[in-house]
Amino acid sequence: MISVHPDSHDEDQDAIEVVTPAATYFYHTTGGGFSSLVDVDGNDWLGYQPGGGPAGEYRGIPNMVFRRGTDYNNHFHPGHGGAKASKTRIISSDDEQICIESAVDSDRWRIRWTIDSDAARLTVLDTDPADPGFWFLYEGTPGGRFSMADRCLRSDGKDLRMSKQWEGTTATIDWVAFRVRGLNRSLLIQLETDVVVPVSYYPMKPMTVFGFGRRLGSADNLFTSVPLEVSVRLVETADKKELASLASSGVARG
């Protein structure tokens, strides 16, 4: 069961609030991105707020379209407005699932989020034909705060401290799980589409910078083909074997 509150407000912007058994999501309707992802104990795994750079305004999911030095083709990030703004509508909603769509210039850029009791699934539907590059980022605060000693488990079996930056490709790293000391809980992020691009992580204290479709030190948005799907799950385990099993089972299609 889920409940939907379409007229909510979060961190200075109108938001759609979606309450599920696993988490409460706040989605900025103009920004076109999640500003808060709150677990059952009240910990915000994103921590977006206006201002503060990595301590606030850089954070969110999916932070998807970025071009350095211009407002054009900068979209789907909480807090965005003006030339960076999206228009968001609820496609469907009941007590099992909500489907939210955000678009720029009708369909020059268009994404859809499907949220149910277990997960939020992003489908990228349309990109700018003249400049189609995008990525998927998690910039936030695992467990409600950032600690260099917490862990990032990867699908290739490596379990690394969040102090360690790394880079690979989605050929071997198609999911990651951010695990927090003292919490039997993880944020599982999984690429659901079979495509090979760089994947990377580095700490920008006090937040994570994880990206599918991003190289370390680069602002190039390396996904170009659609449709593309990524799932985000806040799960009640930090066990490595259980996380691998959850990733292997995937997310049921709505």
Side-chain angles (χ1 to χ4, degrees):
M1 295 284 290
I2 70 170
S3 62
V4 177
H5 308 278
D7 298 317
S8 291
H9 199 79
D10 188 50
E11 298 296 343
D12 289 354
Q13 194 171 117
D14 290 340
I16 299 169
E17 180 184 0
V18 183
V19 182
T20 80
T24 298
Y25 303 81
F26 287 88
Y27 186 82
H28 277 184
T29 55
T30 301
F34 290 102
S35 55
S36 298
L37 175 57
V38 182
D39 68 22
V40 294
D41 294 317
N43 304 306
D44 186 354
W45 292 61
L46 292 177
Y48 169 86
Q49 60 183 347
E57 65 188 316
Y58 291 175
R59 300 175 181 177
I61 286 177
N63 298 8
M64 200 186 92
V65 188
F66 176 73
R67 305 291 184 268
R68 182 168 284 155
T70 177
D71 286 348
Y72 190 75
N73 280 349
N74 274 272
H75 308 298
F76 309 127
H77 191 303
H80 275 8
K84 301 179 181 180
S86 308
K87 290 186 177 179
T88 296
R89 63 191 181 109
I90 295 175
I91 301 293
S92 62
S93 178
D94 56 33
D95 60 5
E96 299 294 331
Q97 185 181 89
I98 180 174
C99 185
I100 301 167
E101 185 172 289
S102 293
V104 178
D105 298 339
S106 296
D107 60 1
R108 183 167 61 84
W109 289 97
R110 187 164 61 102
I111 64 173
R112 186 171 293 173
W113 283 96
T114 302
I115 306 170
D116 60 23
S117 60
D118 298 316
R121 186 176 70 253
L122 168 69
T123 305
V124 183
L125 296 169
D126 292 300
T127 62
D128 185 335
D131 187 11
F134 63 97
W135 54 31
F136 178 96
L137 301 187
Y138 167 49
E139 297 182 306
T141 50
R145 83 289 182 274
F146 180 82
S147 171
M148 292 283 199
D150 289 332
R151 315 292 296 194
C152 180
L153 176 67
R154 311 187 324 194
S155 58
D156 63 357
K158 291 186 177 180
D159 183 33
L160 305 174
R161 284 178 175 260
M162 290 191 204
S163 58
K164 182 176 177 61
Q165 69 176 28
W166 52 264
E167 182 177 310
T169 79
T170 55
T172 55
I173 307 169
D174 61 358
W175 62 263
V176 296
F178 290 92
R179 306 187 306 136
V180 177
R181 291 178 305 162
L183 284 180
N184 190 36
R185 186 174 295 136
S186 305
L187 184 64
L188 177 59
I189 304 173
Q190 187 166 7
L191 179 63
E192 304 281 351
T193 301
D194 186 12
V195 60
V196 177
V197 294
V199 55
S200 64
Y201 166 79
Y202 69 93
M204 182 185 283
K205 194 174 180 180
M207 73 171 191
T208 61
V209 182
F210 167 76
F212 285 128
R214 182 177 190 173
R215 292 189 180 94
L216 285 177
S218 173
D220 293 335
N221 294 206
L222 297 175
F223 286 124
T224 57
S225 298
V226 294
L228 181 128
E229 294 188 342
V230 179
S231 64
V232 178
R233 288 183 274 178
L234 199 57
V235 296
E236 296 300 304
T237 183
D239 181 83
K240 290 188 280 188
K241 289 183 178 179
E242 290 180 3
L243 287 165
S245 179
L246 283 168
S248 178
S249 66
V251 174
R253 298 297 185 260

